[in-house]
Amino acid sequence: MRIQLREKEYAMLRAIGLMPSSLKHIIVYEITILTTVGLLLGYILSIVSTKILHSYFSVMIGNYMYQIPFIILLPISVFIVLVLGLSCIPLIKRINNIQVIRVLNSI
């Protein structure tokens, strides 16, 4: 079985004495930070690109008031956070089953 790079990192952290619960917290924090940064960058890029497209097409379709659809953004954000939160559950279960000696011997 091929051992993934992150699995080696987790095994090394466990080998130097990191508790499994602390490793779970690290993974949850990492996923939270990446999700937040990704959502913010995505929203900023979409707003900027929509403004540019609005200014370009306003000549063709006439002027109308552009509004950021915050009512739509909130449920989408909640859905993304839930999906990413649920996707880390199998990873955490897999980390609990890491055999540190087997992984470190394969390095």
Side-chain angles (χ1 to χ4, degrees), residues 27-98:
I27 292 169
V28 170
Y29 291 145
E30 181 179 336
I31 289 173
T32 303
I33 289 169
L34 290 174
T35 302
T36 305
V37 169
L39 282 172
L40 290 175
L41 286 176
Y43 289 150
I44 290 169
L45 288 174
S46 66
I47 289 170
V48 168
S49 63
T50 304
K51 288 277 193 181
I52 291 170
L53 287 173
H54 177 262
S55 65
Y56 176 74
F57 286 116
S58 65
V59 175
M60 296 177 196
I61 59 175
N63 269 340
Y64 66 93
M65 184 69 130
Y66 173 74
Q67 295 177 355
I68 299 171
F70 289 110
I71 294 174
I72 297 172
L73 293 179
L74 183 63
I76 291 172
S77 300
V78 170
F79 176 74
I80 290 171
V81 169
L82 284 175
V83 167
L84 289 173
L86 291 174
S87 70
C88 74
I89 292 173
L91 175 63
I92 290 174
K93 286 182 180 179
R94 185 174 172 183
I95 287 171
N96 285 336
N97 298 329
I98 288 179

Side-chain angles (χ1 to χ4, degrees), residues 3-13 23 26-27 30 34 91 95 98 103:
I3 296 176
Q4 302 294 324
L5 178 64
R6 296 301 299 255
E7 190 173 347
K8 291 177 186 178
E9 291 177 17
Y10 298 147
M12 285 185 198
L13 289 171
L23 192 54
I26 290 171
I27 292 169
E30 181 179 336
L34 290 174
L91 175 63
I95 287 171
I98 288 179
V103 173

